[in-house]
């Protein structure tokens, strides 16, 4: 924006003859006039008025012709200010102290004399704008020279996080400094060209304000986090404290702390806004600045208002992080609350009370309750004195009860009548009766509980007032609803319905009913498996009345196997086998014939003809690939013992080349030696890379499936060091594991650790089975009956909930709620992750029958928007203009 030459107006009392600059007959003196008091030190600048003793207090008058006015004044000022150029150069080079860096110090009295009082004040303000900009740029440069570079050289922060710390504390100060260095250079150039009568700096400020606004917005919104990081490091890092103290000894710092320096960008724009408002007061109405300055003020006002929500959000995050740093957890348990996720926030917090019953009376406990966007924390504040006697006391918050995920949080009564709390008399109470007489305060109760432990984890909390209780109710409802909406839009595994309506069973137990009357329902779902055959995809479902199969996506199923009470199905297309466990024993069928029968191409009699009975009295079986072999593992009863058998499935090519009957009476299977006796309470078998894990009530045993009888088994976890070294954490873990039911073991892909899974907890061990991570343990929110390993995630199934956690840390990432949930594809084992996860869920009721809904948990992928430049050849068909 171009600005024309300003018009200068003179009073009629001004002299037509200018005085020489070094007149010896004139005695110059200075006194503060009323006009000077308009801008005081409180207004951030001190313009000064001058008068010549023995003369009028008003400047001499010139002719009123505009052309002669500008011409005469310009020549007059140029003659008077030649000697002041050296002072200006020293000011810009930083060679003048603060007292000398004033406009009236650099301008000769004769030059000030020819200016109107209002113009003198305006020039003082413009000079103050340039001066404060110079100091501002100097401070930003000091941050890098005195703090950042020495910090990188001396390393008071550990090298692994020094770069992250510098970014958190100083953020984008380099970008802001670059903007102001450019603006200061333009201001210096304008000042040299037009000194002492600077026409305007508004155009320079306007151009740069449009450029530096985005960087300021980022920095100001981040500033509360920067301050918190610095203060937190000062509290816990003595090396950093010493480093900051040494930096403060630099004379350029002038005893200012680091907070003062990093807060400079936050206060700079309001200060600039105030200076511009003052400049506008002393600007002539027809001056171009009367259009430019309001425009700049509007930009700054709007910007400052727009940053307030961001600052408030950052301050809330600082409060949240400050709370996180004071949390003290119970020893032993591993809890990944995901506190430092970028999206984590503190929804509400405040004091609440809880009442405990003792042998004689009730006792009250004061708690601090924090409602996060993912958990509810019940905390017990404890004030601790710092290590230094001069330090302020530190408040620690003990987690007195296990954090409740908002996915499990339920609200009870919030309208109960208030209860009285007896309190002690205050200190200094007058009179004996005042000390003896009890004081009561009303407390307003409300109830919350854990959805998976409605009775054992039920809490009655007390607010100090009814309005406080209403605030908590509103905060709970908002936080729970926001959590639900967010989880629904960010599911790691999405339940997809395979069938809803075909499989039904009686709602109540029917007695004395023959098989013919049961033809109108299939019975409850016990097992399911997916397979492909002849380029078709199928889903097989085992119910109490038989095995039903349908093509993928088809609602109607066809009964293929008429077996009673099948409980487990496994399809292995690689060997063309379908394994079925039912009351008559364990059998295998041709998978191709099963698929053809499901399509109606062949009869069920042909499928039955392909049946090969493997064993009778089988308790459970598992089939799949272990190492390079396809094996079948099953537990069978024999007299008073239970034995574990291992068979290898013979490939079709080997059967064609060597069609002789095997020694165990089976054509398609080869036995791995003699079976091994196992505990009667053994309930499942899982696979590692080359070995299998036998799970019983006593624990886990790892054995070689190719040599069951003679291989040496290994127990996991290995608690042998618990008693020898008096390891209390390991002893605690041992007792907890002994009271839980083993479910299986999975590998942590990122490390060499194993995650040992029980029904109520999990723990980590190294590859030798020794507990790791200080013998810590994970506690599930619900008692699991089964699990599914899906790579980085672990799915835990209970009748009402499905917990989805990360394998590496146990972090709870998703909860799916239902009724009668049970995993039905447990027969397939693999040393790798589970390929599918199929569940049956109890659904609606129809005329005395309950519908079983068949669902599959499908892993989702993150939605990522592809930018045009990331698509190769996207613009090839467009001509370049």
């Amino acid at each position: 924006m171009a600005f024309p030459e300003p018009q200068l107006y003179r009073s009629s009392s001004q002299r037509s003859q200018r005085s020489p600059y070094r007149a010896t007959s004139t005695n110059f003196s200075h006194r503060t006039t009323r006009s000077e008091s308009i801008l005081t030190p409180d207004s951030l600048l001190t313009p000064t008025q001058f008068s010549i003793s023995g003369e009028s207090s008003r400047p001499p008058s010139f002719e009123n012709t505009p052309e002669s006015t500008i011409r005469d004044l310009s020549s007059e000022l140029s003659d008077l200010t030649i000697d002041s150029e050296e002072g200006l150069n020293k000011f810009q080079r930083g060679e003048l102290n603060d007292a000398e860096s004033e406009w009236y110090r650099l301008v000769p009295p004769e030059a000030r004399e020819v200016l109107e009082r209002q113009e003198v004040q305006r020039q003082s303000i413009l000079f103050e704008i340039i001066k404060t900009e110079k100091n501002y740029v100097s401070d930003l440069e000091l941050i890098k020279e005195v703090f950042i570079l020495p910090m990188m050289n001396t390393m008071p922060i550990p090298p692994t996080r020094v770069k992250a710390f510098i970014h958190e504390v100083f953020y984008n100060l380099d970008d802001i400094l670059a903007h102001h260095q450019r603006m200061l250079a333009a201001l210096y150039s304008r000042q040299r060209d037009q000194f002492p009568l600077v026409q305007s700096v508004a155009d320079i400020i306007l151009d740069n304000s449009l450029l530096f606004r985005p960087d300021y917005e980022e920095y100001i919104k981040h500033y509360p986090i920067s301050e918190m990081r610095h203060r937190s490091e000062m509290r816990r890092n003595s090396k950093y404290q010493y480093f900051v103290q040494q930096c403060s000894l630099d004379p350029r710092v002038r005893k200012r702390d680091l907070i003062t320096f990093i807060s400079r960008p936050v206060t700079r724009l309001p200060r600039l806004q105030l200076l511009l408002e003052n400049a506008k007061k002393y600007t002539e109405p027809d001056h171009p600045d009367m259009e430019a300055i309001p425009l700049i003020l509007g930009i700054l006002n709007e910007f400052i208002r727009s940053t307030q929500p961001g600052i408030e959000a950052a301050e809330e995050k600082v409060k949240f992080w400050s709370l996180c740093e004071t949390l003290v957890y119970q020893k032993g348990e591993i809890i990944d609350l995901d506190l430092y996720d970028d999206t984590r926030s503190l929804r509400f917090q405040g004091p609440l009370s809880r009442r405990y019953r003792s042998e004689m009376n009730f006792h009250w406990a004061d708690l601090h309750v924090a409602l996060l966007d993912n958990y509810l924390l019940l905390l017990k504040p404890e004030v601790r004195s710092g290590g230094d006697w001069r330090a302020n006391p530190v408040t620690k918050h003990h987690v007195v009860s296990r954090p409740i995920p908002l996915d499990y949080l339920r609200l009870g009564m919030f309208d109960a009548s208030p209860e009285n709390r007896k309190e002690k008399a205050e200190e200094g109470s007058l009179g004996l009766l005042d000390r003896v007489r009890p004081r009561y305060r009303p407390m307003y109760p409300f109830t919350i509980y854990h959805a998976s432990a409605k009775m054992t984890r039920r809490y009655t909390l007390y607010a100090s007032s009814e309005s406080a209780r209403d605030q908590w109710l509103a905060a709970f409802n908002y936080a729970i609803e926001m959590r639900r909406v967010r989880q629904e839009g960010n599911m790691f595994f999405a339940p997809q319905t395979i069938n809803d309506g075909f499989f039904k069973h009686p709602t109540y137990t029917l007695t004395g009913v023959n098989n013919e009357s049961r033809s109108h329902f299939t019975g409850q779902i016990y097992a399911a498996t997916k397979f492909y055959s002849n380029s078709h995809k199928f889903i097989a479902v085992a119910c109490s009345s038989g095995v039903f199969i349908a093509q993928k996506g088809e609602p109607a199923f066809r009964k293929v196997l008429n077996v009673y009470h099948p409980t487990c199905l496994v399809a292995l297309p690689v060997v063309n086998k379908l394994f079925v466990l039912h009351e008559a024993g364990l059998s295998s069928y041709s998978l191709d014939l099963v698929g053809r029968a499901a399509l109606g191409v062949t009869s069920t009699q042909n499928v039955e003809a392909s049946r090969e009975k493997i064993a009778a009295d089988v308790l459970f079986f598992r089939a799949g690939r272990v190492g390079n072999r396809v094996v079948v593992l099953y537990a069978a009863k024999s007299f008073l013992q239970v034995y574990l058998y291992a068979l290898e499935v013979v490939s079709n090519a080997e059967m064609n080349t060597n069609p002789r009957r095997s020694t165990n009476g089976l054509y398609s299977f080869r036995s791995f030696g003699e079976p091994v006796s196992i505990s009667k309470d053994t309930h499942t078998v899982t696979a590692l890379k080359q070995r299998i894990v036998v799970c019983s009530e006593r624990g886990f045993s790892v054995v070689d499936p190719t040599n069951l009888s003679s291989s040496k088994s290994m127990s996991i976890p290995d608690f042998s060091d618990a008693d020898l070294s008096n390891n209390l954490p390991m002893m605690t873990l041992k007792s907890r594991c002994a009271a839980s039911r083993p479910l299986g073991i999975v590998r942590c892909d990122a490390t060499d650790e194993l995650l040992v899974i029980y029904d109520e907890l999990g723990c980590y061990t190294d590859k030798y089975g020794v507990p790791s991570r200080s013998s810590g343990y994970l506690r599930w929110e619900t008692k699991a009956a089964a699990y599914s390993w899906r790579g980085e995630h672990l799915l835990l199934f209970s009748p009402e909930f499905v917990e989805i956690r990360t394998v590496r840390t146990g972090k709870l990432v998703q909860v799916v709620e239902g009724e009668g949930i049970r995993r039905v594809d447990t027969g397939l084992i693999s040393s790798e992750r589970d390929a599918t996860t199929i569940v049956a869920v109890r659904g609606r009721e129809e005329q005395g029958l309950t519908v079983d809904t068949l669902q599959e948990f499908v892993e989702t992928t993150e939605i990522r928007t592809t930018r045009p430049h990331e698509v190769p050849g996207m613009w090839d068909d467009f001509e370049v203009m």
Side-chain angles (χ1 to χ4, degrees), residues 495-510:
Q496 292 188 357
T497 301
I498 298 176
N499 186 273
D500 182 19
F502 183 83
F503 300 99
K504 304 176 182 179
H505 61 89
T507 302
Y508 305 101
T509 303
L510 299 179

Side-chain angles (χ1 to χ4, degrees), residues 1 11 16 57 92 111 116 129 164 177 269 272 294 333 464 507 595 620 639 670 695 719 727 779 781:
M1 180 182 297
S11 64
S16 60
S57 62
Q92 294 187 356
E116 184 74 28
I129 291 175
L177 175 59
L269 296 187
L272 180 60
E333 185 173 356
S464 59
T507 302
F620 67 87
F639 298 105
R670 181 188 302 115
C695 304
F719 294 117
N727 191 332
R779 290 180 64 181
E781 296 296 332

Side-chain angles (χ1 to χ4, degrees), residues 113-155:
E113 181 184 355
V114 299
L115 296 177
E116 184 74 28
R117 178 185 303 173
Q118 182 171 330
E119 185 62 25
V120 171
Q121 293 174 329
R122 179 175 174 273
Q123 289 298 321
S124 297
I125 297 173
L126 297 183
F127 187 89
E128 183 72 14
I129 291 175
I130 300 175
K131 176 184 174 182
T132 55
E133 184 69 16
K134 168 179 167 294
N135 295 336
Y136 179 58
V137 171
S138 177
D139 284 347
L140 295 186
E141 291 173 345
L142 276 181
I143 292 176
K144 188 171 185 179
E145 296 173 7
V146 178
F147 293 99
I148 297 179
L149 294 180
M151 188 183 301
M152 299 180 67
N153 295 329
T154 60
M155 290 294 178

